[in-house]
Amino acid sequence: MAPALVLITVVVGGAIAQAISLSLSDWRGIGPVEHIGLDNYGSILSDAAFWDSLLLTCLYAGASTVGIVAIATLLAAAVSANVRGSRFYRVVWFLPGIAPGVAVAIFWVSAFQPRFGAINEILASLGLPSDTALLAGRHTAIIPVIVVTIWAGVGFAFLLLLGAMEQIPPSLYESARIDGASAVRQFWSLTLPLSRPVLITTLLLNFIWAFNGFAIVWTMTRGGPGHATATLPVLIYEWAFKFADYGPATAMAVLSGILLVAIGAVGIRVSRSAQ
């Protein structure tokens, strides 16, 4: 194990050191690298676009995480209770999780088309307004992106939570039923408390994945209209590969990494206390 750990430490540590070095420089992709100290960080922290993007990313990741974990928890609770067809649902609900993010996004972009998309057809059948171009609206474009992120993320969270719930001794539920506890009371008093460590881990993992999520956002909206869906990974991509300004882009990536490490540390501490 020791040589493998040394190799991983060297590779990961080298990449981090290179990123930090590039974030302290002015480099356009060609020519010599000019080190300029903390100027990139100063310009980023005074840029309103960065803060708008960071706020949007937190909202997007938070909403996606809450949706994913809430749906996955209910699905896992239903399957662990051996509802009819639970073996079939174990496979069906996990399938979206194995599809590539780009393919998922392309499919859903067509579904959200205002004229021939399946979503507006469903809305029309329910008697609701059906000519809304959600992806084209500055205030609505993020909604389909969140919905698709939830749809794609439920499967993996479902498996994690199902594994935790199936570790709960059946005798506890039998005792609860003998005491007259309803299914809802068993869920609140047994399932959720005994699944709490995995639940917290699932929340943390999904927040980090959504925070770093790029494929679905970029494929569905390219960060638009305007910058209405320009999350931090999209902004970093634009600065690096659209404007060829690698210094500020790498500085944003470093700040993003520091923020996620801090969130991860808090999440691990909370998870340990829950155990």
Side-chain angles (χ1 to χ4, degrees):
M1 287 295 292
L5 288 175
V6 171
L7 178 62
I8 292 173
T9 302
V10 170
V11 171
V12 174
I16 294 174
Q18 187 175 18
I20 293 174
S21 175
L22 190 57
S23 73
L24 301 173
S25 67
D26 181 16
W27 188 53
R28 293 283 178 174
I30 56 174
V33 177
E34 179 185 355
H35 291 281
I36 57 174
L38 296 174
D39 288 0
N40 286 329
Y41 290 93
S43 62
I44 288 171
L45 294 175
S46 61
D47 189 340
F50 169 75
W51 291 106
D52 290 343
S53 179
L54 180 60
L55 176 60
L56 175 67
T57 306
C58 290
L59 291 174
Y60 162 69
S64 301
T65 300
V66 170
I68 288 171
V69 175
I71 295 173
T73 301
L74 295 176
L75 293 177
V79 171
S80 66
N82 288 322
V83 296
R84 179 177 295 180
S86 60
R87 292 184 178 179
F88 171 75
Y89 294 133
R90 286 171 192 260
V91 177
V92 170
W93 286 329
F94 182 65
L95 285 179
I98 62 176
V102 174
V104 168
I106 291 173
F107 165 76
W108 279 100
V109 165
S110 63
F112 276 103
Q113 288 296 321
R115 292 187 177 179
F116 53 84
I119 299 300
N120 279 331
E121 293 292 335
I122 294 173
L123 294 175
S125 66
L126 297 174
L128 298 173
S130 58
D131 58 348
T132 304
L134 292 175
L135 285 170
R138 293 183 62 86
H139 300 295
T140 59
I142 194 65
I143 296 174
V145 178
I146 292 173
V147 170
V148 175
T149 303
I150 292 173
W151 184 84
V154 163
F156 186 71
F158 163 73
L159 281 187
L160 289 177
L161 292 167
L162 180 62
M165 292 178 187
E166 289 186 336
Q167 297 301 314
I168 301 174
S171 58
L172 294 178
Y173 290 104
E174 293 174 4
S175 299
R177 282 193 289 270
I178 292 173
D179 292 338
S182 65
V184 175
R185 180 61 183 272
Q186 292 174 42
F187 176 76
W188 284 107
S189 300
L190 287 177
T191 305
L192 281 185
L194 295 177
S195 304
R196 190 179 303 160
V198 176
L199 191 62
I200 294 172
T201 301
T202 307
L203 281 167
L204 181 62
L205 288 176
N206 278 280
F207 184 86
I208 292 174
W209 286 337
F211 195 96
N212 286 324
F214 175 78
I216 291 177
V217 180
W218 182 257
T219 305
M220 290 187 72
T221 65
R222 296 290 194 277
H227 276 83
T229 58
T231 57
L232 206 51
V234 171
L235 197 66
I236 292 171
Y237 177 85
E238 287 183 336
W239 277 69
F241 301 106
K242 189 174 180 180
F243 307 129
D245 207 351
Y246 291 91
T250 313
M252 281 190 277
V254 170
L255 291 176
S256 174
I258 292 172
L259 178 61
L260 289 179
V261 167
I263 292 173
V266 173
I268 291 173
R269 180 178 290 272
V270 173
S271 179
R272 285 179 177 173
S273 65
Q275 294 176 349

